[in-house]
Amino acid sequence: MSPHSIPPAPAAYRTLDTNGIRSFLAGVPTLAARLGGPAARWRIREVSDGNLNNVFLIDGPAGGVCFKQSLPHVRVDPAWKMPLDRTFYEAAYLREIRPCVGALTTDVLHFDPDLFVLVVESLDRHVVLRRGLMEGGAWPDAARAVGAFVAHGTFRTSLLAAPFEEVTRRLDIFSGNRTLTRITVDLILTDPYRDHPRNHWISPDLDRIAAEIRTDPRVRRRVGAMQARFLTCRQALLHGDLHTGSVMVSADDTRIIDGEFACPGPIGFDCGLFIGNLLLHLFACRDADGQDRAVRDVAQFWTSFHDTFLELWHTATRQDGNGDAYAAALFRDDPSGLLKAQADFMQDVAEDTIAFAAMEIIRRIVGYAHVPDFDTIPDMAARAERQGTALALARDLLAAPGSTTSIAGLIDLARDRARRYP
Amino acid sequence: MSPHSIPPAPAAYRTLDTNGIRSFLAGVPTLAARLGGPAARWRIREVSDGNLNNVFLIDGPAGGVCFKQSLPHVRVDPAWKMPLDRTFYEAAYLREIRPCVGALTTDVLHFDPDLFVLVVESLDRHVVLRRGLMEGGAWPDAARAVGAFVAHGTFRTSLLAAPFEEVTRRLDIFSGNRTLTRITVDLILTDPYRDHPRNHWISPDLDRIAAEIRTDPRVRRRVGAMQARFLTCRQALLHGDLHTGSVMVSADDTRIIDGEFACPGPIGFDCGLFIGNLLLHLFACRDADGQDRAVRDVAQFWTSFHDTFLELWHTATRQDGNGDAYAAALFRDDPSGLLKAQADFMQDVAEDTIAFAAMEIIRRIVGYAHVPDFDTIPDMAARAERQGTALALARDLLAAPGSTTSIAGLIDLARDRARRYP
């Protein structure tokens, strides 16, 4: 990860164990009141699931909270040292976007800048969308909700909605999230396209396609351009890690969590990661209904994102909004011109989305951090075959970007390629 | 300019008159030594020429310096209040780029953060390129030098040359240059495309073309996209105000000055402003030789920028550079792939350049701040006719961006349209 420097943990920092967590929560009156009753009765369960942080759910007689603490290293690899500031960025992200996405994410209940502790609402009646999908569940509203989340969060932090002074001040805060952005740059945008010891895959089955992806000059050229796009195109504040493991669902509620990778960037990056993970699920699906649902989810996500975003833009223009890009003064009296400008803009977002979705598929099969969706297929040869088909799709999308330029086209192509399974 | 807030000048700030300047310079040993002799013998001349700052040249027995001080208002309009930080950004810009552009700009000799005084090398044997061109002079090396300046300054501050952590830290400093960036956004990118009291032109001659530019839906759409491009595409650190008045020339030396508008942005913005001003000169030229020189200057500027930039990129890749965009790891073993990626990249820069050149032409004829090049034509009808021809060219470039996508094409078109003059 080649961090430039790891600042030492502040003197007051210590990693809290369950006793420490109990005392900490008891010391914050609003949190103690939310839990209710004597602290000794609170039930504390560790639910750390991601690679980075300690996470605990705490239940009291009156209610529950979710406790998240940064560690001075990667949780799953203590030798991999890391600064503590990631919970700061997650708290900052939630504070920025909560006003526009409402109950599509969680409320920040408390942030402690010495211990790097973030306390948010507990979602203990929810399950992780990825797990829910793997278990064959149907979450008919989840993809629509995630699309609306991306639309609101990115529109409101973009230059379509506000003067550049306000947008730049906000985005510059998240420029500081260098440690986690470095992970994105290395693991998603670079490593799978070079020989690197962090890469791994089912071998020898996938050796050939992995090598083809690393060496195809058309893929390299597109990947180079997407590296530049991710790092130079500051369209909006991104979630930055919007895979199906960052979404919690219940029968009637969807929440997007884990915003610690928040950074400025192109909107298609958030869209591409989410769609990429739905497509990974599609290729791992063992039943036709699940496949149909995965395809429908891609379409519903995109339609929801697209329509919500453009509606927000129309409203801002009608109300003579003060965004500095596509300034309202130019389009207030020219609705058909605005429609064309919006179509151009969305075409760029769609093309970014397709490329980043392809790169997400690739890094989740041949890179460092794989997805568990394929674990439901016990036969390794069968698993590798499906993964190889997904990789070939991703390779083709990057190698010939002009041949698939719409999300509808992407859906058709993916459905075609996945049809041989189950 | 709708600044969000003007911070009060610091208590220690005062605008220095010639006596104040003399005492100030005498109090800085390195500057006093550079000037030499007793302070009473220094000759102090005001040469304020731009709209914003006080500028003085000071000559002593041993040498000279250039003294520049921010005022708490626009120099030419004391009612237009403005924060003082612009000399800070000019000093910061010079310090960033001087190591890579060498003697193509001036050395920072001193910066005073209380008085917002910047002292740089004196260029008293140089003339302003715009004035030199207007007087019919030939500066055969100037355009090439400016091209090399843009190539070195933008390459070294881009993600092609350095990891994103380093690039972001550097660019975020210049995100703070909000006052002058607001001027760019309003005067170049927005005002000419709306009714605004700051706009003015030769009326009634140019009323019709000015209205066509304001209302053409194709122009609006392209301008909206370029607003977004300027504000979201952080390819490099830009000079930000690279017109022919920001270039000083002598028989054998070219220097780029006045970097107070420095900001992150798309490289084509610097290229476009420079080319736009050469084209304005072309349409103002009263002799065929001058026209030929203007056309040659556009070609030499672009060739110099293009070739220098790509050579720097080739070298960085060969030396296994650590830039995060178009990472060396992808292209080290694939020279033909790198050439194609570079062609894609330069195509984008060329298209940005053409659009920003067109917007510079427009704002310099119908916006707030005009260029003096046309003042050499005393007959107002003749002046308006040439300006109208330049405006029509700019309008066409914005309305049909697909019809001129190379600098060679731009040159052909401009030469054709200017041929009817002189």
Side-chain angles (χ1 to χ4, degrees), chain A residues 28 38 70 77 79 136 143 152 181 235 245 260 282 286 295 314 380:
Chain A
V28 182
S70 302
D77 180 1
H152 281 280
T181 302
Q235 277 180 327
E260 62 225 347
L282 167 69
R286 305 184 70 196
V295 165
H314 272 297
M380 289 305 274

Side-chain angles (χ1 to χ4, degrees), chain A residues 21-359:
Chain A
I21 292 169
R22 196 179 303 275
S23 315
F24 175 86
L25 295 172
V28 182
T30 53
L31 299 177
R34 188 179 180 101
L35 290 159
R41 287 184 52 202
W42 298 342
R43 187 165 72 108
I44 303 182
R45 283 174 294 153
E46 179 160 9
V47 293
S48 311
D49 180 42
N51 295 324
L52 294 178
N53 303 309
N54 275 354
V55 186
F56 293 83
L57 293 183
I58 299 94
D59 294 308
V65 301
C66 173
F67 172 101
K68 192 162 183 177
Q69 185 174 31
S70 302
L71 303 174
H73 53 77
V74 173
R75 190 179 66 84
V76 297
D77 180 1
W80 184 343
K81 301 303 176 197
M82 187 167 277
L84 295 160
D85 56 13
R86 53 201 184 273
T87 45
F88 164 81
Y89 288 108
E90 181 170 353
Y93 177 69
L94 288 173
R95 285 177 175 146
E96 285 293 350
I97 61 153
R98 174 95 186 169
C100 62
V101 303
L104 289 170
T105 185
T106 52
D107 204 7
V108 175
L109 303 176
H110 190 75
F111 177 70
D112 185 299
D114 292 317
L115 296 172
F116 290 92
V117 162
L118 170 64
V119 183
V120 297
E121 292 174 79
S122 172
L123 299 174
D124 58 356
R125 67 189 177 87
H126 293 64
V127 300
V128 175
L129 177 59
R130 188 191 300 283
R131 294 283 162 191
L133 293 173
M134 285 169 63
E135 287 159 13
W139 313 95
D141 193 52
R144 190 208 53 77
V146 178
F149 171 86
V150 175
H152 281 280
T154 58
F155 184 83
R156 292 292 174 197
T157 57
S158 80
L159 285 150
L160 300 167
F164 81 86
E165 291 90 344
E166 188 183 324
V167 171
T168 304
R169 261 181 237 274
R170 177 182 290 128
L171 295 185
D172 282 357
I173 296 169
F174 295 89
S175 283
N177 197 3
R178 295 185 176 90
T179 306
L180 298 200
T181 302
R182 169 53 61 192
I183 293 178
T184 297
V185 170
D186 285 352
L187 297 192
I188 303 182
L189 305 180
T190 312
D191 284 355
Y193 310 97
R194 61 178 168 185
D195 281 316
H196 198 285
R198 278 194 295 257
N199 295 333
H200 62 105
W201 53 79
I202 300 175
S203 181
D205 312 53
L206 298 178
D207 290 0
R208 185 169 149 191
I209 179 81
E212 280 173 14
I213 287 170
R214 274 199 311 282
T215 56
D216 186 320
R218 300 165 305 167
V219 171
R220 285 175 172 171
R221 190 169 154 197
R222 183 74 174 150
V223 166
M226 298 317 292
Q227 292 172 341
R229 187 92 177 140
F230 177 75
L231 289 167
T232 62
C233 178
R234 304 216 308 177
Q235 277 180 327
L237 179 59
L238 306 184
H239 178 282
D241 191 31
L242 192 58
H243 56 80
T244 48
S246 296
V247 180
M248 304 284 289
V249 288
S250 73
D252 57 0
D253 190 43
T254 300
R255 306 286 189 110
I256 288 81
I257 62 166
D258 283 355
E260 62 225 347
F261 279 82
C263 61
I267 295 166
F269 186 79
D270 272 357
C271 298
L273 256 57
F274 190 66
I275 289 180
N277 279 272
L278 291 174
L279 295 180
L280 285 160
H281 178 68
L282 167 69
F283 283 98
C285 250
R286 305 184 70 196
D287 65 295
D289 284 356
Q291 284 200 343
D292 288 346
R293 282 196 297 270
V295 165
R296 182 210 59 195
D297 283 351
V298 175
Q300 285 190 350
F301 163 78
W302 179 256
T303 301
S304 167
F305 159 72
H306 177 277
D307 294 358
T308 308
F309 191 95
L310 293 191
E311 182 51 38
L312 290 167
W313 189 349
H314 272 297
T315 303
T317 305
R318 270 197 305 270
Q319 295 174 349
D320 214 4
N322 57 2
D324 279 315
Y326 296 94
L330 274 61
F331 294 103
R332 201 173 31 222
D333 307 322
D334 180 18
S336 75
L338 181 60
L339 284 176
K340 283 182 189 152
Q342 291 181 334
D344 294 344
F345 183 95
M346 274 296 165
Q347 184 58 40
D348 284 348
V349 177
E351 289 173 20
D352 286 349
T353 295
I354 292 166
F356 287 125
M359 293 172 76

